[in-house]
Amino acid sequence: MPTKPAPAPFTADDYRARMARAAQSAADAGLAGVLVAPGPDLVYLTGYQPTAITERLTVLVLAAGQDPVLVVPTLEAPDAEHAAGAAALTLRDWTDGKDPYAVTAPLLDVDGRFGVSDNAWAMHLLGLQKELPGTSYVALTEALPMLRAVKDEHELARLEAAGAAADEAYGEIVKVRFAGRKETEVAADLAALLMKYGHSQVDFTVVGSGPNGANPHHEAGDRTIEQGDMVVLDFGGLKYGYGSDTTRTVHVGEPGAAEQRVHDVVREAQQAGFEAVRPGAACQDVDRAARAVIADAGYGEYFIHRTGHGIGVTTHEPPYMIEGEELPLVPGMCFSIEPGIYLPGRFGVRIEDIVTVTDDGGRRLNNTDRAMAIVE
């Protein structure tokens, strides 16, 4: 299969449009504006990622009817000037020895309520609050959960490429030997394969063999994989700046009837979750559909996590497929569907695909076989 060319970089106009949407969304939500600290929100809105996140204040200030302003330390201003979205905003720098909160305060409504990116440092938020005691703040996940949730065609192309690369990695990992090797060795193989297929960053390579598979977030360890083990493989990272995340559960040698039964139930649950995806359905409907299959099969108490999470410039972000989340699905949303059954002391099974909402349903971005693969 020919390799697709890399997608064109985002432009200053792309970032300008994103910042304008964020500012307007904040106004529509009754907020005076948005304050964005270094992290995924800043990358999404401006293309800027500081070389190191330190105690020096960096913050993007967005408000409807006001030009975007990025406050940065003077020593980091040259890097910020070269960010892809720099032409769409104004830089305001401050030097060591000056009060960065006094520099930022004139940009803010003195009595305003602002959305703040979730990963903002407490010391910076408290510094602004001290400078402007009439202001108040709310986390962006709560105030603007849709900020990064709906992807445009260019973002979808990146997510598709990341998903296809993860699929290629899975296609090769099932050909390597598992029995007699440590989990860490297989995890290293997975990481190398993700990089081989174009990932710039590997975020996780979960290899949970035998009883370790009953821990959903088990980190690959020194356990030697044995004949007869069920092995959960959950791996992903970033390609072209967007995430991959997929899980398949394999078996070393032929599985027993109980193992096959559990895998079949999870596979059916994953399919049910996928079939629940459609515009207007609530996020919780996806969780309910998958969870009902597992509960009806008698394993409800062993499905111990949400059914899915959003994905984009990070591998975990809103929206979340979980009971109580009534946010409606919208075309362009991308998220995982990953039900699992975890039997303590025995084994675990999880199957995960990234799915995007279409105009009339859903489309998978992972397309490897969901049947249990037999490995050596």
Side-chain angles (χ1 to χ4, degrees), residues 44 55 90 149 177 276:
Y44 173 76
E55 72 284 354
T90 298
R177 184 163 186 81

Side-chain angles (χ1 to χ4, degrees), residues 261-276 285-303 307 337 339-341 351:
R261 167 63 176 155
V262 170
H263 193 280
D264 288 346
V265 170
V266 174
R267 186 179 179 188
E268 183 183 346
Q270 210 265 352
Q271 179 65 23
F274 173 70
E275 291 176 358
D285 292 340
V286 179
D287 183 84
R288 287 174 174 177
R291 199 168 299 276
V293 172
I294 291 175
D296 289 348
Y299 295 102
E301 66 183 293
Y302 302 110
F303 182 10
T307 293
I337 300 179
I341 294 174
I351 300 173

Side-chain angles (χ1 to χ4, degrees), residues 184-202:
T184 50
E185 294 174 314
V186 176
D189 288 344
L190 267 174
L193 287 167
L194 287 172
M195 298 298 285
K196 173 183 175 180
Y197 288 107
H199 278 62
S200 59
Q201 176 178 312
V202 176

Side-chain angles (χ1 to χ4, degrees), residues 38-63:
D41 291 330
L42 189 61
V43 172
Y44 173 76
L45 290 166
T46 70
Y48 177 52
Q49 184 167 354
T51 303
I53 297 175
T54 71
E55 72 284 354
R56 293 184 174 95
L57 177 70
T58 294
V59 64
L60 173 69
V61 180
L62 301 177

Side-chain angles (χ1 to χ4, degrees), residues 112-183:
R113 181 169 175 80
F114 293 87
V116 180
S117 49
D118 297 2
N119 57 327
W121 283 24
M123 66 177 286
H124 296 319
L125 193 58
L126 292 169
L128 286 171
Q129 216 164 21
K130 182 178 179 181
E131 187 72 22
L132 296 171
T135 56
S136 59
Y137 306 89
V138 60
L140 279 184
T141 291
E142 178 184 344
L144 300 178
M146 296 288 284
L147 178 65
R148 306 195 320 254
V150 178
K151 275 65 179 178
D152 63 26
E153 60 180 320
H154 304 295
E155 293 180 282
L156 282 172
R158 287 163 167 78
L159 285 162
E160 288 170 357
D167 285 356
E168 294 277 11
Y170 176 72
E172 289 203 29
I173 200 66
V174 294
K175 299 174 184 176
V176 309
R177 184 163 186 81
F178 279 65
R181 302 179 68 210
K182 293 180 179 180
E183 292 173 343

